[in-house]
Amino acid sequence: MKSKEDMQERLGLGLKDMYSSVLDEPLPDDMLALLDQLEENDTRDVKSSRPDENE
């Protein structure tokens, strides 16, 4: 029978491996499109909140 510490270590290593593999997966195209839209909206918001430099 394995000790509690051995089981915790194996579980931790398994979780690290799973997390690493998730980080390596590419984002889906619809998620990338959504992020692009959000970035465009942020850029427009920043530009519209600046005072007009010509005034």
Side-chain angles (χ1 to χ4, degrees):
M1 184 169 162
K2 297 198 180 244
S3 71
K4 183 178 177 179
E5 291 82 17
D6 288 341
M7 289 174 40
Q8 286 177 336
E9 184 176 348
R10 287 184 58 206
L11 178 61
L13 291 172
L15 289 171
K16 285 179 186 178
D17 287 343
M18 185 175 66
Y19 181 73
S20 292
S21 69
V22 169
L23 287 178
D24 291 337
E25 291 180 13
L27 286 175
D29 290 339
D30 55 344
M31 180 68 76
L32 290 172
L34 178 60
L35 290 172
D36 286 341
Q37 287 176 355
L38 291 171
E39 186 174 329
E40 287 174 17
N41 287 343
D42 283 347
T43 302
R44 276 190 235 131
D45 289 344
V46 168
K47 287 180 181 179
S48 67
S49 67
R50 289 185 190 160
D52 191 2
E53 294 177 5
N54 295 329
E55 290 183 9

